[in-house]
């Protein structure tokens, strides 16, 4: 375990270095090829499939670093789809994993707002799919079926959706009579249900990590601003009113980070589909995403006028935090799920 | 003081006029449009309002539309808010800051020269803030150097609202840097078409570009355009900075109240009318808006009766800024994921457009500009509560 930790720390340091080099909100066009080249997509892939075998811990660490830099890459979506492949029993699995971790991009929706229905054909709309135009395939979860669908084929239509958050390029993907037999079905029945549950946990942990990293990065930027900007002949950081708010932000961030780390330490990769793991993931997501929204709101205020100018990165954090709150099944639903689970246990 | 029936008559008169004249669908017409359409709407609306005498109720007797008591002005503002009429943001500095500065501190010649232009729709901007002089406005560095019968201006202003449309600028510049920061400042009226003035619009986080940087490179201002005395600029600026605050905040608070149905509309659209938690939060916001309106009203009554105290205005502004934040944040929550799509902005919008993500971001205009929330808190704690000031000297 400690050897693993050491390795994780090294990876973290090198990821930090890469991201610092690329700068805040680095463009997808340059960062994505780099992400692929560095083999980051292989982080959670087991060693027998030529991955690093670092599991959810390893990939979570990368999500944190990418979040910190507001990376404009569909890394989260791609890792979900690759994980689905890893869990599947299909013959072409090794080949597809290799393809999607080194060449073609695969994507997956980041929110539970799909209207897709499945019979012999797929119909309906999949929303909140990042970078669908540059990906070759998308992961679709419907009821008790998980399937990989080609994005560039008859019956599939992409439409770009403008979002306040400009660090993600989201698409609606509409299916009209896309024949299931021509797609790659990854799981069906109970296996699919378990796979979907697992993917939800992974997604929720990843969103939590994204928020933790981004909020920490934003707090650093804010403190740097307060330390250097002078008003009334002194650094703004000298005003206790502002220091205390930074202290509040730091405490919120560390609590969210601690919850994420604690949750991850309680489960193994194999348990991700279990109900307890799902609950841990939901709590981590809820706490981290509300925390990031709070931190972004404070940071904008503490920047003053410059924070209202689009040239300053402050707003990019705020906008990502606002979107993150609604990803997954949305913070409001997590609140309910957590309370309902608690109440059901008492009963 | 106006009698109840006078108020009612005026209210009815204004209400009827607004019903007939507020351009219908102006919000939709302002969404995602270019600057020209915005300027056009502002011009037309200003034309109508000023012709009817409702653009200048705060001007003294003798001016068109002028001579209204504060109580009457309040009625007009409340009705404007109720009718959801466009705000005259392009003319705001001209009608309030510029006009009030001229009325209070201008010479007869300056009044004659500039006030008619303002009535005719000249646009003014306020050039106070600088990159390094925001909350600490007194530390401003833009230089005004007297040479013969001219001042020569060099330096930079920033965040100047509507500067890109402005004909003239209220400029606060430094003529002397030997004394304390408030001393040595001089208040000038600057023609934005003068050689050496460069305006660079600032892109805002909402996509709009309502404010701009202004650069001055050896810009000449004739001494006739000095307001007050050289070196007395700080006092001139302070005298008029808050001239409109009470009324604007009454209007803005009322606008929040009248826009409450929009929150309900969003709840309905999203099928969330049965959501108890959100309905509770709506109840909380409604009550807070009422409190904000009440505080603004009370403040104006104090002004009318001459009982206003230092710091009263700060409490109204802080209360408004915070209520608006909670209000728009609830809208943002109700809008859900849907609210994160379609990033359109509305030019010249009030704070309640129904695009809650946009409105939420715009709520920062009120917590940052014109003395941030933190600065208001300093004023309230020090001036209202009598708590000690931050020490003037410090060391790390
Ligand atoms: C929408 C908008 C319109 C504007 N329009 C104009 C205009 O037309 N003309 C013009 O001249 N200016 C205009 N401004 C500028 C505005 O007045 C300044 O932004 C404001 O004074 C804050 O200054 P700053 O932006 O430099 O922030 P800073 O002063 O750098 O403040 C940064 C942070 O530090 C806090 N802070 C500063 N001092 C203290 C203190 N002593 N104690 C505790 N906290 C403190 C602030 O509250 C803020 O949170 C506009 C600004 C905005 C946002």
């Amino acid at each position: 375990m400690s050897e693993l930790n050491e390795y994780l720390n090294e990876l973290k340091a090198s990821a930090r270095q890469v991201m610092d080099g690329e700068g805040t909100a680095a463009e997808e066009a340059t960062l994505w090829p780099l992400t692929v080249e560095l083999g980051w997509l292989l982080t959670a892939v087991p060693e027998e499939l030529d991955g690093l075998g670092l599991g959810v811990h390893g990939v979570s660490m990368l999500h944190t670093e990418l979040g910190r830099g507001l990376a404009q890459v569909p890394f989260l979506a791609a890792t979900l789809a690759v994980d689905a492949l890893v869990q599947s029993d299909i013959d072409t699995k090794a080949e597809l994993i290799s393809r999607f971790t080194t060449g073609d991009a695969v994507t997956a929706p980041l929110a539970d707002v799909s209207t897709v229905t499945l019979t012999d054909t797929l119909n309906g709309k999949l929303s909140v799919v990042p970078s669908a135009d540059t990906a070759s395939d998308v992961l679709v979860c419907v009821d008790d079926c998980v399937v990989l669908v080609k994005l560039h084929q008859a019956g599939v239509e992409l439409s770009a959706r403008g979002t306040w958050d400009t660090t993600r390029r989201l698409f609606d993907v509409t299916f009209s009579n896309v024949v299931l037999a021509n797609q790659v079905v990854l799981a069906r029945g109970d296996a699919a249900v378990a796979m979907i549950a697992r993917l939800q946990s992974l997604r929720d942990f990843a969103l939590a990590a994204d928020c933790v990293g981004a909020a920490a990065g934003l707090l650093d930027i804010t403190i740097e601003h307060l330390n250097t900007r002078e008003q009334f002949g002194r650094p703004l950081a000298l005003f206790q009113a502002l220091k205390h708010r930074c202290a509040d932000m730091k405490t919120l961030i560390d609590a969210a980070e601690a919850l994420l780390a604690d949750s991850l330490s309680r489960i193994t990769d194999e348990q991700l589909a279990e109900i307890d793991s799902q609950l841990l993931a939901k709590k981590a997501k809820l706490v981290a995403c509300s925390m990031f929204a709070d931190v972004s709101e404070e940071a904008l205020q503490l920047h003053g006028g410059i924070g209202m100018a689009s040239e300053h990165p402050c707003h990019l954090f705020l906008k990502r935090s606002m979107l993150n709150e609604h990803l997954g099944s949305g913070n409001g639903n997590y609140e309910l799920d957590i309370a309902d689970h608690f109440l059901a246990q008492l009963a | 003081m106006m009698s109840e029936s006078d108020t009612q008559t005026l209210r009815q008169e204004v209400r009827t006029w607004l019903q007939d004249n507020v351009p219908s669908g102006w919000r939709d017409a302002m969404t995602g449009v270019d600057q020209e359409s915005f300027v056009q709407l502002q011009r037309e609306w200003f034309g109508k309002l000023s012709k009817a005498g409702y653009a200048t109720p705060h001007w003294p007797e003798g001016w068109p539309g002028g001579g209204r008591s504060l109580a009457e002005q309040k009625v007009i503002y409340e009705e404007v808010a109720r009718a959801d009429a466009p705000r005259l943001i392009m003319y705001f500095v001209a009608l309030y800051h510029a006009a009030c500065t001229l009325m209070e501190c201008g010479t007869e010649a300056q009044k004659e020269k500039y006030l008619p232009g303002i009535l005719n729709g000249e646009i003014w901007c306020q050039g106070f803030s600088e990159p390094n002089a925001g909350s600490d406005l007194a530390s401003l560095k833009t230089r005004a150097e007297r040479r013969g019968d001219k001042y020569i201006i060099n330096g930079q202003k920033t965040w100047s609202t509507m500067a890109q449309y402005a004909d003239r600028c209220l400029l606060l510049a430094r003529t002397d840097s030997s004394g304390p920061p408030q001393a040595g400042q001089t208040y000038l009226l600057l023609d934005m078409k003068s050689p050496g003035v460069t305006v660079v619009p600032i892109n805002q986080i909402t996509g709009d570009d309502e404010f701009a940087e202004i650069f001055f490179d050896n810009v000449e201002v004739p001494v006739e355009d000095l307001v007050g005395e050289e070196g007395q600029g700080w006092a001139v600026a302070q005298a008029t900075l808050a001239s409109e605050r009470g009324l604007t905040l009454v209007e803005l608070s009322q606008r929040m109240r009248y826009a409450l149905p929009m929150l309900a509309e969003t709840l309905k659209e999203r099928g969330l009318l049965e959501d108890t938690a959100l309905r509770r939060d709506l109840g909380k916001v409604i009550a807070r808006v009422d409190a904000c309106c009440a505080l603004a009203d009370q403040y104006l009554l104090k002004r009318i009766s001459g009982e206003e105290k230092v710091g009263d205005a700060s409490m109204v502004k802080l209360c408004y800024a915070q209520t608006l934040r909670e209000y728009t944040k609830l809208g943002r929550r109700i809008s859900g994921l849907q609210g994160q799509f379609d990033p359109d902005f509305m030019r010249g919008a009030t704070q309640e457009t129904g695009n809650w993500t946009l409105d939420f971001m715009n709520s920062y205009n009120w917590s940052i500009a014109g003395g941030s929330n933190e600065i208001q808190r300093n004023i309230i704690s020090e001036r209202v509560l009598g708590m000690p000031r931050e020490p003037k000297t410090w060391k790390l």
Side-chain angles (χ1 to χ4, degrees):
Chain A
M1 189 65 201
S2 88
E3 206 173 300
L4 177 66
N5 272 342
E6 219 167 276
Y7 188 51
L8 280 177
N9 283 338
E10 268 172 42
L11 198 62
K12 185 186 172 81
S14 79
R16 173 77 55 98
Q17 203 177 8
V18 170
M19 292 305 296
D20 283 351
E22 294 298 307
T24 303
E27 297 269 336
E28 186 177 357
T30 52
L31 191 57
W32 181 247
L34 190 61
T35 309
V36 176
E37 194 189 310
L38 289 166
W40 284 355
L41 286 163
L42 287 162
T43 311
V45 174
E47 281 162 310
E48 59 272 22
L49 285 163
D50 295 331
L52 294 181
L54 294 175
V56 61
H57 283 88
V59 78
S60 170
M61 183 273 299
L62 280 179
H63 287 309
T64 308
E65 293 308 312
L66 286 162
R68 184 183 169 87
L70 294 186
Q72 310 200 22
V73 288
F75 183 72
L76 202 170
T79 53
L80 294 179
V82 169
D83 189 78
L85 279 166
V86 169
Q87 301 304 315
S88 76
D89 286 327
I90 58 166
D91 300 337
T92 50
K93 148 172 167 173
E95 179 197 322
L96 283 172
I97 290 172
S98 155
R99 195 179 124 208
F100 290 133
T101 50
T102 56
D104 287 347
V106 61
T107 187
L110 299 182
D112 300 330
V113 285
S114 159
T115 64
V116 177
T117 57
L118 178 74
T119 49
D120 290 343
T121 56
L122 284 156
N123 283 287
K125 192 161 78 180
L126 204 59
S127 293
V128 199
V129 183
S131 306
D133 57 341
T134 47
S136 64
D137 295 70
V138 63
L139 187 74
V140 183
C141 302
V142 202
D143 308 326
D144 59 351
C145 181
V146 180
V147 51
L148 201 59
V149 182
K150 285 188 192 56
L151 280 164
H152 308 284
Q153 63 171 320
V156 179
E157 208 177 301
L158 305 184
S159 90
R161 293 295 307 272
T163 42
W164 285 105
D165 176 16
T166 51
T167 66
R168 294 191 179 97
R169 296 186 305 111
L170 300 184
F171 288 79
D172 284 344
V173 179
T174 311
F175 302 118
S176 327
N177 296 316
V178 173
V179 180
L180 184 64
N182 298 340
Q183 319 305 320
V184 183
V185 175
L186 300 183
R188 275 205 178 264
D190 288 347
V193 172
M195 190 184 276
I196 293 170
R198 175 185 165 95
L199 289 170
Q200 282 172 348
S201 296
L202 278 176
R203 178 199 61 198
D204 291 347
F205 280 131
L207 287 169
D210 186 76
C211 290
V212 164
L218 178 57
L219 179 59
D220 284 352
I221 292 175
T222 306
I223 291 171
E224 171 71 16
H225 180 74
L226 295 177
N227 280 338
T228 49
R229 179 160 178 85
E230 296 198 359
Q231 290 289 280
F232 304 97
R234 70 199 76 185
L236 286 172
L238 216 64
F239 292 114
Q240 200 168 56
L242 307 184
K243 273 194 295 200
H244 281 185
R245 284 159 67 183
C246 293
D248 281 341
M249 289 194 259
K250 172 67 176 160
T251 309
L252 280 176
I253 296 169
D254 278 14
E257 191 176 16
L259 180 64
L260 175 62
D262 180 72
S263 306
L264 288 177
S265 75
R266 285 169 191 276
I267 52 173
T268 62
D269 269 42
E270 290 67 41
Q271 295 170 321
L272 277 164
E274 290 172 14
I275 188 99
D276 288 345
S277 309
Q278 281 197 293
L279 193 69
L280 288 173
K282 284 175 181 178
K283 285 183 189 163
K285 192 278 178 190
L286 174 66
V287 168
C289 290
S290 342
M291 170 280 288
F292 182 25
D294 289 345
V295 168
S296 309
E297 287 170 24
E298 280 290 77
L300 181 53
Q301 178 66 23
L302 296 189
H303 272 82
I306 192 73
M308 298 297 277
S310 67
E311 65 175 300
H312 193 281
C314 222
H315 70 111
L316 299 176
F317 286 91
L318 176 69
K319 289 169 182 172
R320 182 140 156 161
S321 80
M322 292 195 289
L323 181 61
N324 277 5
E325 280 191 303
H326 299 293
L327 294 183
S329 51
N331 275 11
N333 290 318
Y334 291 99
E335 289 166 359
L336 282 177
D337 288 352
I338 293 163
D340 290 349
H341 180 87
F342 178 78
L343 295 172
Q345 272 195 330
L346 289 184
Chain B
M1 209 55 209
M2 281 182 100
S3 76
E4 190 62 26
S5 73
D6 289 346
T7 318
Q8 279 312 320
T9 313
L10 176 64
R11 196 177 287 287
Q12 206 46 57
E13 176 194 309
V14 181
R15 191 171 294 184
T16 311
W17 185 88
L18 286 164
Q19 266 162 12
D20 297 340
N21 288 282
V22 171
S24 63
W26 68 269
R27 286 178 178 282
D28 290 339
M30 281 301 108
T31 302
V33 298
D34 55 15
Q35 296 189 345
E36 265 163 56
S37 321
F38 163 70
V39 171
Q40 182 71 11
L41 173 93
Q42 285 279 316
R43 285 232 154 89
E44 280 169 13
W45 181 233
F46 172 78
K48 278 191 191 175
L49 265 181
S50 68
K51 211 161 129 205
Y54 297 142
T56 46
H58 58 296
W59 285 30
E61 190 100 53
W63 290 97
R68 298 274 194 187
S69 67
L70 272 174
E72 286 174 308
Q73 294 175 46
K74 179 164 179 275
V75 168
I76 295 173
Y77 276 88
E78 284 168 351
E79 289 305 312
V80 164
R82 185 177 184 276
D84 187 28
R87 291 195 71 216
L88 277 182
I89 58 168
M90 208 166 80
Y91 298 93
F92 194 76
V93 172
L95 290 170
Y96 288 91
H97 297 125
C100 298
T101 304
L102 287 163
M103 308 268 189
E104 282 186 38
C105 311
T107 62
E108 284 313 307
Q110 285 171 337
K111 286 183 206 174
E112 242 167 71
K113 183 169 168 197
Y114 292 119
L115 289 172
I118 292 176
L119 279 179
N120 279 331
E122 258 185 9
I123 298 162
W124 289 60
C125 64
Q126 184 196 56
F128 287 8
S129 303
E130 296 180 5
N132 290 316
S135 297
D136 181 17
L137 182 61
S139 69
L140 61 88
K141 289 203 171 64
T142 293
R143 270 178 305 122
E145 208 182 313
R146 177 81 183 253
R147 252 184 245 156
D149 56 357
K150 293 190 180 78
Y151 285 98
I152 312 295
I153 317 296
N154 280 290
Q156 182 194 348
K157 295 290 172 181
T158 192
W159 318 126
S160 182
T161 305
M162 301 289 134
Q164 57 270 58
Y165 310 109
D167 301 295
R168 297 177 191 283
C169 174
L170 300 172
L171 181 73
L172 205 49
R174 185 165 294 289
T175 35
D176 181 3
S177 30
S178 60
Q182 281 86 351
Q185 293 191 19
T186 297
Y187 202 110
L188 299 166
L189 309 174
L190 176 133
D191 185 343
M192 290 292 279
K193 287 175 202 75
S194 314
V197 174
T198 311
V199 178
V200 181
I202 299 172
N203 255 311
Q204 277 161 265
I205 65 175
T206 53
D208 206 344
D209 46 11
E210 279 182 356
F211 46 44
E213 294 175 288
I214 315 175
F215 296 89
F216 306 94
D217 179 15
N218 288 314
V219 179
E220 297 184 353
V221 177
V223 279
E224 298 94 86
D225 290 330
L226 162 71
V227 183
E229 283 167 41
E230 185 179 302
Q232 296 300 308
W234 184 257
V236 175
Q238 291 305 310
T240 55
L241 213 49
S243 56
E244 94 300 339
R245 177 142 307 153
L247 286 161
T248 303
L249 287 168
V250 165
E251 180 199 336
L252 290 170
S253 311
Q254 293 288 342
R255 279 189 188 264
M256 271 197 298
R257 180 181 269 160
Y258 289 118
L260 282 169
M262 240 186 316
L263 275 177
E265 192 54 40
T266 312
L267 261 183
K268 205 161 116 197
E269 266 168 28
R270 299 255 302 123
L272 292 168
L273 281 172
E274 301 304 315
D275 189 313
T276 313
L278 288 176
R279 286 215 317 280
R280 283 224 167 91
D281 287 339
L282 177 63
K284 224 184 279 178
V285 162
I286 294 168
R288 270 193 85 166
V289 168
D290 280 353
C292 183
C293 289
L295 188 69
D297 272 6
Q298 190 195 61
Y299 169 68
L300 203 68
L301 287 176
K302 281 193 198 167
R303 276 192 67 180
I304 293 172
S305 61
E307 291 167 83
E308 179 187 0
K309 292 203 197 65
V310 183
D312 285 347
S314 292
M315 286 192 275
V316 184
K317 180 168 184 271
L318 180 62
C319 180
Y320 173 69
Q322 291 188 311
T323 307
L324 184 67
R325 177 73 40 81
E326 284 310 309
Y327 185 101
T328 53
K329 197 168 162 173
L330 176 61
R332 184 184 122 192
R333 254 180 69 212
I334 298 173
S335 304
L337 179 61
Q338 218 42 48
Q340 297 307 311
F341 290 115
D342 308 322
D344 249 345
F345 64 90
M346 204 180 283
R347 286 188 192 272
T350 52
Q351 315 298 315
E352 305 88 8
T353 67
N355 179 340
W356 298 107
T357 307
L358 172 72
D359 294 343
F360 174 79
M361 288 190 275
N362 272 329
S363 75
Y364 281 84
N365 292 349
W366 286 94
S367 61
I368 293 172
S372 66
N373 280 3
E374 289 72 26
I375 295 300
Q376 307 302 342
R377 291 187 187 113
N378 285 346
I379 296 172
I380 296 163
S381 53
E382 291 164 8
R383 311 293 292 275
V384 179
L385 299 174
M387 299 167 87
R389 287 171 167 248
E390 296 269 350
K392 276 226 164 17
T393 55
W394 61 279
K395 62 175 196 290
L396 279 180

